Amino acid sequence: MGWQAYGLDREAQWLVLQALDIDNDKDIKGDACLRESYKMRESVAYGLERFWGEHMRHQGKQEKKSRYWKATWDILANILGPADVTLPNDSDPKAMAQKLWGEIPVDSSGKMLTLEDQRLALAVLTQLCDCLVWWTQRYK
Amino acid sequence: MSTLTDAANKVPLMFRAQVEGRCQVQRLIPKALEQDAERWADEWVDKAYPDAPNFGKDVQTRPYALSWRFITNSGQDDGVIRPVIGARGWPFYPGSSMKGVFRQAAHQLERAGELKLGTCDRYCGEKLENNDFRPGILRFHGGYPTDTRWTQNLVDIVHPQQQWQVKSNDKEGGAFIQISLYKPELIVGISSTTPLDDLEWEQIWHIWETALSLGLGCRVSAGYGQPQQRSGDILYRTRLKGQGQAAKLVDGTGEFRPNVFRAAIRGHALRIFGGLTNADQAEGLVQDLFGGIRGGATVGLLSMAFLDTQLELDDFGQGSYSQPTYTVEGELLWRLTRDLPQPQRQALTKLIEALTRFAMVFGGFGKSWRRADHRLVYPDYYDQGYKPLIGCHWEWLGKRSQVRDVRVRKLEKVGDFIAEVRQAAKEWMQLQTRTPQLDTHANWREAWHPDKVQVWGRETDGLEDCEAVRWLHGPYREAIPSVGIPEGSIYRSSITGQMGNVGRLWHRMYPKVRLVKDPENPKKPMPLVTRQYFELVTVFPDDSVESEQLLGFLNGQQTLFKKLWPMPRH
């Protein structure tokens, strides 16, 4: 297997720039979201499910924040793809929990998220959030 | 590797998505078998170490008991207020918060001339001219509970209801949950980078205790985080005793919540100011006094604490009517949270005295405060078996309060007393450069303005000699068909109110306390608690037929009650 540059830092920069754009878009309801990266970095300590759930919690109330969290999750899933970890992306919290905690397959392929996958995903998410914080400090 | 069955449902709540179906700590689900908050708290307590964390040996420590609940928001979970979790899984009062309040107190003491100028900078650090920073010599290590009592009663239900109590029948919010510590004893630590002598340590603890007297953590103006010691700048204190319905915790047990005093008195402040100016100004004035969240969170000028000296919780009623009850005695303290020029200080003292006395004369505190305690004034009511607990009863406690705080010793004094309360409010307004406008009032149900409210009263021979309580449960006037007078009733009308609808009548039995000569010290008056009570009925008329008929009845068809306010113009 050859060298794979996952480009975490670049993805993080893109996310932060997106967040800036979202904040500048007056049509989207909700509070400023740029600084959510600090919350993201904190919530990593509580694991994947908690992190994923934050975009659901903001839905309908703070749409801007919700989008930022979801975009970060999607990017994480993209990054993990080449590493052969399939991150679930379900809109139902109960199903999502079962997939994330390795109880049911993540998708129709029948693949399960193993404990190793969970740890790997969390490690990458931590790194990604560190990058987000770094870029946030640059742009704010 | 063995796989865990049903893994997702074994994950502790803290690590779940904070959404419906997984975990919602802040949400109170009525009649749920177990609230998420309870389970969350159990999971936390279960994994915390049995012994408290220790401070290092070079750290000076002191313990402080708090009079009621204590909360420091971790800020980590949006949507729920819960403590910071520190070493060993124990709740933690952060050193940074400690330093913040310490610095504030040190500044205040410097300005008051009690501390040498520069002391605060020496202890807490200072900004230098070249944008550099010189650190202070003190390190604030924060605080931990001294023992495992903190694990009890963590789940705290909060009901925001000012809107509903004073202004209109629109409910805001409902109940929500926070996690707070019940009557904890905290040990806090401070250390110094240079050795200090005992005298200087005394000074440091004095500054800290000044800070502490304003309350620790958040929601201090609502009575949270108040120390069990009478320190700080006390404007007014008095002793009270009362009985009534206790607040229910999620598990159904009762709790006496001292924030009922603040809630009631804050509400009365709104009513009084709302009768002297428009809604916007009244709300601004009240926010300055008691704090609030209008246009950004403000800390009020006043902070309240209630130090109970006796507290019993019990139950009353049968079956589904069973309710937790309290009987309580204690001291109510109002402290000033920052410096005020002398004239303002005096006016504020008068105002908070007046408002507290107002609350005592016309109502009570806590649930069902608009009604006299039916157990005392209408015991027959409960002979019928399944009946709800209604009302509360409060009295001044002890000689000092009975001499100073009883302003209504005769029925005729009620009008003067109201004038006195309104005068105190007007004086405070003027010092805040707000002009009282006697012909305006807030458009609220209970703004205290002569056009909006009437007070009627009589003197009674005892608690059971209570007339108006019957109006609440049946007709106040029998029909006299021969002269065409129909039965008069406010039962189940907008006047008495119903579940989900605040009524427009307050009913209070206020104890008559006379002043007599003390035979041993003839120069000093002595309070004499009599058997008599003033029965006071406060009505906020609306434009309903029942309201009109009741006023007609009071004005023309009965002789027991006299109109006490608004007083007829001389």
Side-chain angles (χ1 to χ4, degrees), chain B residues 342-415:
Chain B
Q342 199 54 28
Q344 293 212 25
R345 197 195 147 84
Q346 277 167 0
L348 185 56
T349 308
K350 265 169 80 179
L351 179 62
I352 194 61
E353 285 173 350
L355 289 170
T356 309
R357 291 166 185 160
F358 184 86
M360 281 291 279
V361 172
F362 295 108
F365 305 98
K367 282 184 171 182
S368 204
W369 65 266
R370 288 178 173 81
R371 295 287 180 267
D373 194 320
H374 281 35
R375 291 171 294 177
L376 302 172
V377 302
Y378 192 14
D380 306 357
Y381 185 63
Y382 295 107
D383 291 348
Q384 301 156 48
Y386 291 89
K387 283 290 175 191
L389 180 60
I390 301 177
C392 64
H393 185 73
W394 287 87
E395 299 193 358
W396 299 105
L397 180 65
K399 191 173 157 183
R400 185 172 174 271
S401 304
Q402 285 163 352
V403 171
R404 292 178 66 240
D405 287 312
V406 179
R407 312 296 277 197
V408 175
R409 298 191 195 275
K410 288 183 189 149
L411 195 60
E412 296 71 34
K413 282 282 168 199
V414 169

Side-chain angles (χ1 to χ4, degrees), chain B residues 13-64:
Chain B
L13 297 185
M14 177 82 115
F15 303 98
R16 295 185 179 194
Q18 303 295 302
V19 296
E20 196 176 343
R22 290 297 289 160
C23 172
Q24 286 189 296
V25 177
Q26 83 291 353
R27 208 167 140 208
L28 181 75
I29 299 163
K31 302 211 163 84
L33 225 54
E34 184 188 47
Q35 300 290 340
D36 280 358
E38 284 177 289
R39 183 160 156 204
W40 186 98
D42 286 347
E43 287 174 350
W44 172 23
V45 166
D46 192 46
K47 293 293 174 207
Y49 281 56
D51 342 290
N54 286 319
F55 292 105
K57 67 172 170 34
D58 296 325
V59 179
Q60 304 254 344
T61 60
R62 280 193 186 182
Y64 297 95

Side-chain angles (χ1 to χ4, degrees), chain B residues 436-505:
Chain B
Q437 296 151 305
L438 296 184
D439 43 4
T440 39
H441 55 74
N443 186 26
W444 300 330
R445 187 186 57 234
E446 294 185 356
W448 198 276
H449 186 272
D451 296 346
K452 300 273 289 181
V453 57
Q454 297 185 11
V455 180
W456 293 74
R458 64 183 272 261
E459 195 171 321
T460 78
D461 287 333
L463 265 171
E464 286 190 48
D465 173 20
C466 180
E467 190 61 26
V469 68
R470 276 155 239 283
W471 307 351
L472 305 168
H473 302 282
Y476 54 82
R477 180 187 63 204
E478 299 291 334
I480 314 172
S482 55
V483 287
I485 293 178
E487 183 184 87
S489 176
I490 52 172
Y491 182 53
R492 294 197 169 150
S493 72
S494 62
I495 301 297
T496 44
Q498 288 161 30
M499 283 295 279
N501 199 336
V502 178
R504 295 173 159 267
L505 184 147

Side-chain angles (χ1 to χ4, degrees), chain A residues 40-104:
Chain A
M40 290 183 191
R41 181 61 185 87
E42 266 183 355
S43 87
V44 167
Y46 300 112
L48 292 173
E49 187 198 334
R50 174 86 184 246
F51 188 96
W52 172 86
E54 288 304 279
H55 94 271
M56 287 285 283
R57 194 170 60 78
H58 288 310
Q59 249 171 27
K61 290 174 252 168
Q62 297 182 304
E63 213 50 62
K64 289 181 183 181
K65 288 184 182 173
S66 176
R67 285 192 196 194
Y68 190 21
W69 283 84
K70 183 61 168 51
T72 306
W73 183 263
D74 292 343
I75 291 281
L76 176 69
N78 281 344
I79 293 169
L80 290 172
D84 213 20
V85 174
T86 312
L87 214 53
N89 227 336
D90 206 303
S91 58
D92 172 46
K94 285 185 182 165
M96 192 65 182
Q98 287 182 308
K99 289 176 180 176
L100 280 172
W101 297 104
E103 255 181 85
I104 57 171

Side-chain angles (χ1 to χ4, degrees), chain B residues 122-160:
Chain B
R122 172 172 140 81
Y123 289 157
C124 302
E126 64 180 314
K127 235 186 175 146
L128 302 175
E129 274 171 18
N130 55 5
N131 236 353
D132 207 354
F133 193 81
R134 177 186 299 142
I137 59 166
L138 296 183
R139 297 288 173 269
F140 296 87
H141 298 260
Y144 284 100
T146 50
D147 57 42
T148 53
R149 275 175 298 171
W150 69 269
T151 59
Q152 307 294 316
N153 291 329
L154 283 166
V155 179
D156 180 9
I157 310 183
V158 188
H159 302 262

Side-chain angles (χ1 to χ4, degrees), chain B residues 272-287:
Chain B
I272 298 290
F273 285 123
L276 294 168
T277 181
N278 61 39
D280 192 51
Q281 291 222 352
E283 278 179 54
L285 285 158
V286 170
Q287 169 139 338

Side-chain angles (χ1 to χ4, degrees), chain B residues 108-322:
Chain B
Q108 202 173 321
L109 291 171
E110 267 186 30
R111 277 200 307 271
E114 277 189 57
L115 274 185
K116 214 170 68 191
L117 282 177
T119 313
C120 184
D121 288 346
R122 172 172 140 81
Y123 289 157
C124 302
E126 64 180 314
K127 235 186 175 146
L128 302 175
E129 274 171 18
N130 55 5
N131 236 353
D132 207 354
F133 193 81
R134 177 186 299 142
I137 59 166
L138 296 183
R139 297 288 173 269
F140 296 87
H141 298 260
Y144 284 100
T146 50
D147 57 42
T148 53
R149 275 175 298 171
W150 69 269
T151 59
Q152 307 294 316
N153 291 329
L154 283 166
V155 179
D156 180 9
I157 310 183
V158 188
H159 302 262
Q161 53 177 331
Q162 178 173 288
Q163 174 79 23
W164 148 264
Q165 289 281 350
V166 181
K167 298 174 191 169
S168 68
N169 278 336
D170 303 326
K171 259 206 165 165
E172 56 192 331
F176 66 90
I177 283 176
Q178 65 188 12
I179 309 287
S180 64
L181 307 184
Y182 183 73
K183 293 189 175 177
E185 186 183 57
L186 296 176
I187 184 157
V188 299
I190 304 176
S191 65
S192 167
T193 52
T194 55
L196 303 174
D197 59 27
D198 289 352
L199 215 65
E200 181 140 29
W201 274 112
E202 270 314 309
Q203 171 169 292
I204 290 166
W205 286 113
H206 172 69
I207 300 171
W208 166 248
E209 277 156 24
T210 307
L212 177 81
S213 70
L214 299 177
L216 294 185
C218 29
R219 301 178 59 88
V220 291
S221 58
Y224 285 75
Q226 299 290 340
Q228 185 81 48
Q229 60 178 59
R230 279 167 212 79
S231 59
D233 192 356
I234 297 169
L235 282 183
Y236 169 54
R237 63 197 176 98
T238 188
R239 290 176 65 214
L240 305 168
K241 64 172 181 178
Q243 61 172 54
Q245 297 175 37
K248 245 189 209 171
L249 297 176
V250 271
D251 61 3
T253 57
E255 174 177 299
F256 177 70
R257 299 172 66 89
N259 58 355
V260 294
F261 298 108
R262 176 186 179 262
I265 291 165
R266 192 182 203 277
H268 289 315
L270 266 181
R271 291 179 182 93
I272 298 290
F273 285 123
L276 294 168
T277 181
N278 61 39
D280 192 51
Q281 291 222 352
E283 278 179 54
L285 285 158
V286 170
Q287 169 139 338
D288 291 345
L289 292 174
F290 297 93
I293 49 165
R294 208 171 70 131
T298 327
V299 176
L301 281 169
L302 293 164
S303 92
M304 181 223 81
F306 181 74
L307 315 177
D308 57 63
T309 48
Q310 214 173 325
L311 172 61
E312 276 170 52
L313 292 161
D314 208 341
D315 283 295
F316 184 85
Q318 299 172 352
S320 60
Y321 286 112
S322 172

